[in-house]
Amino acid sequence: MAKHQQPMPTLWEVPDDLWERIEPMLRRLEPPAVTGRPRVDRRRVLDAIIFRLRTGCQWNHIPRVYGDDSTIYRCFQDWCESGFFKKLWARLVKECDELKGVQWKWQAADCMLGKARFGGRGGSQPHGSWEKWLQKEPRDGRRRRTLRSRPCRCECE
């Protein structure tokens, strides 16, 4: 690598200029304690959380260079409860919007899709075996309850 080229930043470590804006938010959220154990390095914790969210690994598979996984998880839970991530997101979106860095008409939502249990409501499975099983009478003569005959426990209706 030539001397004038800087290495590319990683995708899960907070750059220095961004950390300078995040650190005061964390300091207000968790002021330094006068007594007791020293706090863990919050920047490493945030790097670990970003690593975990970007890779999708389990909390206990976060590399040890980031610190103790239970400490990282506890910080994540505390920061979620305090609304830190919402505040951070709002601030970064505002800054990006002020810089005209977001083309809002080209934004899209992303989601994770999973297989519907029992083939989804009203849908059919490729074999139709579930519906055939529901239509058969049990050998002992009792009536089989279908999914629709069960009371709805959700708050959707």
Side-chain angles (χ1 to χ4, degrees):
M1 182 184 325
K3 289 183 181 180
H4 65 280
Q5 289 181 339
Q6 294 291 326
M8 292 291 290
T10 67
L11 298 175
W12 41 72
E13 290 184 2
V14 178
D16 294 334
D17 59 332
L18 180 58
W19 179 247
E20 290 171 6
R21 295 188 306 248
I22 295 174
E23 185 181 26
M25 294 174 68
L26 279 174
R27 223 180 296 120
R28 277 191 303 275
L29 178 69
E30 299 173 334
V34 179
T35 60
R37 293 179 128 183
R39 291 196 185 269
V40 295
D41 181 5
R42 297 303 188 204
R43 185 172 183 174
R44 297 305 300 161
V45 170
L46 185 58
D47 287 344
I49 292 170
I50 292 170
F51 177 88
R52 189 327 189 150
L53 295 176
R54 287 194 58 84
T55 62
C57 72
Q58 295 176 353
W59 288 102
N60 60 349
H61 290 150
I62 294 173
R64 297 292 300 166
V65 297
Y66 293 117
D68 180 55
D69 57 338
S70 61
T71 302
I72 294 165
Y73 180 72
R74 188 176 57 250
C75 288
F76 176 74
Q77 291 296 324
D78 292 344
W79 293 352
C80 285
E81 273 184 38
S82 68
F84 167 72
F85 290 111
K86 289 180 182 179
K87 293 172 191 169
L88 176 62
W89 179 256
R91 181 174 176 177
L92 294 176
V93 167
K94 182 181 176 193
E95 286 181 20
C96 195
D97 195 32
E98 288 171 358
L99 296 172
K100 306 290 186 219
V102 178
Q103 295 179 2
W104 292 107
K105 66 179 181 177
W106 293 106
Q107 296 305 305
D110 191 8
C111 67
M112 175 182 250
L113 301 175
K115 188 174 181 180
R117 292 182 67 200
F118 308 117
R121 287 188 182 234
S124 62
Q125 289 185 336
H127 312 275
S129 58
W130 180 254
E131 286 105 12
K132 289 178 185 176
W133 180 82
L134 280 175
Q135 290 168 359
K136 285 184 187 176
E137 285 295 321
R139 291 186 185 153
D140 60 4
R142 290 183 298 153
R143 189 171 158 259
R144 181 174 283 126
R145 287 180 13 162
T146 64
L147 289 176
R148 290 177 191 16
S149 66
R150 293 182 187 166
C152 181
R153 294 185 181 149
C154 67
E155 299 174 11
C156 61
E157 296 174 353

